[in-house]
Amino acid sequence: MGQCGITSSKTVLVFLNLIFWVEAEVDHSIKKVYDTYNGTNPDAASRAIDYVQRQLRCCGIHNYSDWETTNWFKETKNNSVPLSCCKATSSNCTGSLTRPTDLYAEGCEALVVKKLQEIMMYVIWAALAFAAIQLLGMLCACIVLCRRSRDPAYELLITGGTYA
Protein backbone atom coordinates (compact mmCIF):
# COMPACT_ATOMS: atom_id res chain seq x y z
CA MET A 1 0.00 0.00 0.00
CA GLY A 2 2.89 2.35 0.74
CA GLN A 3 4.39 1.81 -2.69
CA CYS A 4 1.15 2.86 -4.42
CA GLY A 5 0.97 6.01 -2.31
CA ILE A 6 4.56 6.89 -3.19
CA THR A 7 3.92 6.20 -6.86
CA SER A 8 0.76 8.31 -6.88
CA SER A 9 2.47 11.26 -5.20
CA LYS A 10 5.41 10.97 -7.60
CA THR A 11 2.98 11.01 -10.52
CA VAL A 12 1.28 14.15 -9.24
CA LEU A 13 4.66 15.85 -8.72
CA VAL A 14 5.72 14.93 -12.25
CA PHE A 15 2.52 16.44 -13.67
CA LEU A 16 2.92 19.60 -11.59
CA ASN A 17 6.49 19.90 -12.84
CA LEU A 18 5.23 19.46 -16.41
CA ILE A 19 2.84 22.37 -15.99
CA PHE A 20 5.72 24.74 -15.30
CA TRP A 21 7.94 23.13 -17.94
CA VAL A 22 5.22 23.63 -20.58
CA GLU A 23 5.51 27.42 -20.36
CA ALA A 24 9.25 27.47 -21.06
CA GLU A 25 8.97 24.91 -23.85
CA VAL A 26 6.07 26.71 -25.55
CA ASP A 27 8.05 29.96 -25.57
CA HIS A 28 10.98 28.30 -27.34
CA SER A 29 8.83 26.29 -29.79
CA ILE A 30 6.40 29.03 -30.72
CA LYS A 31 9.21 31.40 -31.74
CA LYS A 32 10.64 28.71 -33.99
CA VAL A 33 7.28 28.04 -35.61
CA TYR A 34 6.57 31.74 -36.18
CA ASP A 35 9.96 32.10 -37.88
CA THR A 36 9.09 29.31 -40.34
CA TYR A 37 5.65 30.75 -41.20
CA ASN A 38 4.99 30.98 -44.92
CA GLY A 39 1.51 32.31 -45.61
CA THR A 40 1.64 31.92 -49.40
CA ASN A 41 2.49 28.21 -49.38
CA PRO A 42 0.80 26.92 -46.23
CA ASP A 43 2.74 24.06 -44.72
CA ALA A 44 1.90 22.33 -41.43
CA ALA A 45 3.47 25.07 -39.30
CA SER A 46 1.66 27.84 -41.16
CA ARG A 47 -1.68 26.06 -40.95
CA ALA A 48 -1.10 25.45 -37.22
CA ILE A 49 -0.38 29.13 -36.57
CA ASP A 50 -3.42 30.25 -38.55
CA TYR A 51 -5.60 27.70 -36.75
CA VAL A 52 -4.36 28.72 -33.29
CA GLN A 53 -4.79 32.42 -34.03
CA ARG A 54 -8.36 31.91 -35.26
CA GLN A 55 -9.42 29.51 -32.50
CA LEU A 56 -7.84 31.36 -29.58
CA ARG A 57 -8.53 34.81 -31.04
CA CYS A 58 -4.94 35.97 -30.71
CA CYS A 59 -2.19 37.40 -32.88
CA GLY A 60 1.56 36.96 -32.67
CA ILE A 61 3.52 35.59 -29.74
CA HIS A 62 2.96 38.45 -27.27
CA ASN A 63 0.92 40.75 -29.56
CA TYR A 64 0.51 41.52 -33.27
CA SER A 65 3.74 43.54 -33.43
CA ASP A 66 5.72 40.29 -33.08
CA TRP A 67 5.03 39.62 -36.74
CA GLU A 68 7.34 42.52 -37.70
CA THR A 69 10.41 40.45 -36.79
CA THR A 70 9.45 37.33 -38.78
CA ASN A 71 10.92 36.37 -42.14
CA TRP A 72 7.44 36.26 -43.67
CA PHE A 73 6.78 39.90 -42.76
CA LYS A 74 10.15 41.02 -44.14
CA GLU A 75 9.66 39.07 -47.39
CA THR A 76 6.11 40.24 -48.10
CA LYS A 77 6.92 43.92 -47.39
CA ASN A 78 3.22 44.76 -47.23
CA ASN A 79 3.18 45.96 -43.59
CA SER A 80 0.49 43.44 -42.62
CA VAL A 81 -0.01 40.37 -40.50
CA PRO A 82 -1.75 37.12 -41.56
CA LEU A 83 -5.50 37.33 -42.03
CA SER A 84 -5.93 34.85 -39.18
CA CYS A 85 -5.12 37.80 -36.88
CA CYS A 86 -8.25 39.63 -38.02
CA LYS A 87 -11.13 39.85 -35.57
CA ALA A 88 -14.18 37.90 -36.67
CA THR A 89 -16.28 41.05 -36.29
CA SER A 90 -14.09 43.03 -38.74
CA SER A 91 -15.58 42.60 -42.20
CA ASN A 92 -12.97 44.47 -44.29
CA CYS A 93 -9.82 43.43 -42.46
CA THR A 94 -6.72 43.08 -44.60
CA GLY A 95 -4.29 42.46 -41.74
CA SER A 96 -2.73 45.87 -42.19
CA LEU A 97 -0.82 47.25 -39.22
CA THR A 98 -2.22 50.68 -40.02
CA ARG A 99 -5.59 49.48 -38.67
CA PRO A 100 -4.70 47.71 -35.40
CA THR A 101 -8.30 47.87 -34.15
CA ASP A 102 -9.16 45.15 -36.69
CA LEU A 103 -6.56 42.79 -35.18
CA TYR A 104 -6.56 40.66 -32.07
CA ALA A 105 -4.45 42.48 -29.50
CA GLU A 106 -3.57 39.55 -27.24
CA GLY A 107 -0.64 37.27 -28.04
CA CYS A 108 -1.01 33.53 -28.52
CA GLU A 109 1.74 32.32 -26.18
CA ALA A 110 -0.13 33.08 -22.96
CA LEU A 111 -3.33 31.56 -24.30
CA VAL A 112 -1.60 28.38 -25.52
CA VAL A 113 0.11 27.93 -22.15
CA LYS A 114 -3.19 28.49 -20.37
CA LYS A 115 -4.92 25.87 -22.55
CA LEU A 116 -2.13 23.34 -22.00
CA GLN A 117 -2.23 23.93 -18.26
CA GLU A 118 -5.98 23.33 -18.27
CA ILE A 119 -5.44 20.04 -20.09
CA MET A 120 -2.68 19.05 -17.64
CA MET A 121 -5.02 19.76 -14.73
CA TYR A 122 -7.53 17.32 -16.21
CA VAL A 123 -4.77 14.73 -16.47
CA ILE A 124 -3.77 15.35 -12.84
CA TRP A 125 -7.37 14.99 -11.66
CA ALA A 126 -7.70 11.74 -13.63
CA ALA A 127 -4.48 10.42 -12.05
CA LEU A 128 -5.72 11.36 -8.59
CA ALA A 129 -9.08 9.68 -9.24
CA PHE A 130 -7.27 6.55 -10.42
CA ALA A 131 -5.11 6.60 -7.28
CA ALA A 132 -8.22 6.99 -5.11
CA ILE A 133 -9.86 4.00 -6.83
CA GLN A 134 -6.71 1.93 -6.25
CA LEU A 135 -6.66 2.97 -2.60
CA LEU A 136 -10.32 2.02 -2.21
CA GLY A 137 -9.61 -1.37 -3.81
CA MET A 138 -6.72 -2.03 -1.44
CA LEU A 139 -8.87 -1.01 1.53
CA CYS A 140 -11.61 -3.43 0.47
CA ALA A 141 -9.05 -6.23 0.03
CA CYS A 142 -7.68 -5.57 3.53
CA ILE A 143 -11.19 -5.67 5.02
CA VAL A 144 -11.93 -8.99 3.30
CA LEU A 145 -8.63 -10.47 4.50
CA CYS A 146 -9.23 -9.33 8.09
CA ARG A 147 -12.77 -10.73 8.13
CA ARG A 148 -11.64 -13.99 6.56
CA SER A 149 -9.43 -14.84 9.52
CA ARG A 150 -12.26 -14.35 12.07
CA ASP A 151 -15.38 -15.39 10.21
CA PRO A 152 -16.09 -19.14 9.82
CA ALA A 153 -18.08 -18.43 6.64
CA TYR A 154 -14.76 -17.95 4.86
CA GLU A 155 -13.37 -21.36 5.84
CA LEU A 156 -12.84 -24.10 3.29
CA LEU A 157 -15.92 -26.24 2.67
CA ILE A 158 -13.92 -29.30 1.73
CA THR A 159 -11.38 -30.35 4.32
CA GLY A 160 -8.38 -32.34 3.29
CA GLY A 161 -9.10 -31.80 -0.39
CA THR A 162 -7.18 -29.93 -2.99
CA TYR A 163 -7.77 -26.40 -4.13
CA ALA A 164 -9.22 -26.91 -7.57
Side-chain angles (χ1 to χ4, degrees):
M1 180 149 57
Q3 180 63 32
C4 288
I6 291 170
T7 304
S8 297
S9 61
K10 280 183 181 177
T11 304
V12 171
L13 288 175
V14 166
F15 282 120
L16 288 174
N17 191 23
L18 280 175
I19 287 175
F20 297 111
W21 174 77
V22 162
E23 191 169 354
E25 190 59 33
V26 166
D27 184 46
H28 173 70
S29 299
I30 204 167
K31 285 178 184 173
K32 215 161 55 169
V33 174
Y34 269 82
D35 284 338
T36 61
Y37 183 84
N38 182 355
T40 56
N41 183 14
D43 57 333
S46 299
R47 284 193 311 258
I49 288 173
D50 287 335
Y51 179 79
V52 166
Q53 289 185 154
R54 281 190 191 101
Q55 292 299 312
L56 298 180
R57 296 181 174 103
C58 59
C59 185
I61 299 170
H62 300 101
N63 57 36
Y64 60 83
S65 65
D66 292 329
W67 280 103
E68 295 175 7
T69 60
T70 63
N71 294 330
W72 174 80
F73 185 87
K74 293 171 186 171
E75 289 172 6
T76 58
K77 298 178 184 170
N78 61 0
N79 198 34
S80 66
V81 296
L83 294 177
S84 58
C85 285
C86 292
K87 292 179 181 176
T89 57
S90 300
S91 58
N92 296 328
C93 180
T94 60
S96 175
L97 290 177
T98 58
R99 296 182 57 188
T101 56
D102 291 347
L103 307 174
Y104 294 120
E106 191 171 4
C108 295
E109 180 184 30
L111 296 174
V112 167
V113 167
K114 183 180 173 186
K115 264 302 181 204
L116 289 174
Q117 287 176 341
E118 285 176 14
I119 292 168
M120 292 301 290
M121 287 307 294
Y122 286 124
V123 171
I124 289 171
W125 281 112
L128 288 173
F130 183 70
I133 291 169
Q134 283 184 330
L135 187 63
L136 184 63
M138 288 187 304
L139 182 65
C140 290
C142 289
I143 290 171
V144 168
L145 285 174
C146 290
R147 289 192 68 194
R148 183 177 181 180
S149 64
R150 294 186 312 233
D151 194 354
Y154 288 104
E155 291 180 14
L156 288 175
L157 295 175
I158 303 172
T159 56
T162 61
Y163 300 103

